[in-house]
Amino acid sequence: MMLTSCTDKTLPIKEFNINMNGSASFISLADSGEVHAFSMQGDSEKVGTLHANGELKNNDGKLLATIDEDGFVYDADTNKMVQINDTGDIDNGSGQYLSWSDDGKFSMQQGGDFLQLNPNDKDLRKSASFLIFVMMSLNSVTTDMSDMNIDEND
């Protein structure tokens, strides 16, 4: 019997959606690992592929970020950014964790804004937190959700 660390799964890859404030799509993950991000207008764009070994690569195969088996997230230049535990809680070093509620809501600590995991599967929260953190780190426009308008009549 031969064991290799190359096949170690760091993150579960299973289809889910992350919605903003319970309605607007924010990020989706396919069973294939394809990651799509959504604009405020609802347009979807494939941003890359998440691999079970914890690597998120862009559409050209370039590493965007990785998460190790201890939950430490590194950018493409191997700079340590945050730690995400197995429950999906994010420790950014401030002493306050960003965490999930029992009903699958991830508070953005900006007013009443939140992200919601669908399906609400506790085993997917680490993968979801990794994608949330990386997408917000890569797209500074996304990080300011205070101007978010969910009204579909606009």
Side-chain angles (χ1 to χ4, degrees), residues 1-4 7:
M1 183 165 83
M2 192 165 103
L3 299 174
T4 71
T7 59

Side-chain angles (χ1 to χ4, degrees), residues 129-143:
S129 291
F130 177 66
L131 292 177
I132 290 167
F133 178 78
V134 173
M135 291 299 108
M136 290 185 163
S137 296
L138 294 175
N139 185 357
S140 61
V141 173
T142 306
T143 58

Side-chain angles (χ1 to χ4, degrees), residues 89-116:
D89 294 350
I90 298 176
D91 179 3
N92 65 5
S94 70
Q96 290 188 326
Y97 286 78
L98 299 174
S99 59
W100 295 89
S101 65
D102 288 339
D103 61 353
K105 292 180 181 176
F106 187 81
S107 173
M108 300 307 297
Q109 297 183 341
Q110 295 181 21
D113 292 327
F114 64 91
L115 299 174
Q116 184 151 15

Side-chain angles (χ1 to χ4, degrees), residues 21 52 62 69 72 74 89 139 150:
N21 295 331
K62 181 181 175 192
E69 61 274 356
F72 288 104
Y74 299 87
D89 294 350
N139 185 357
I150 306 298

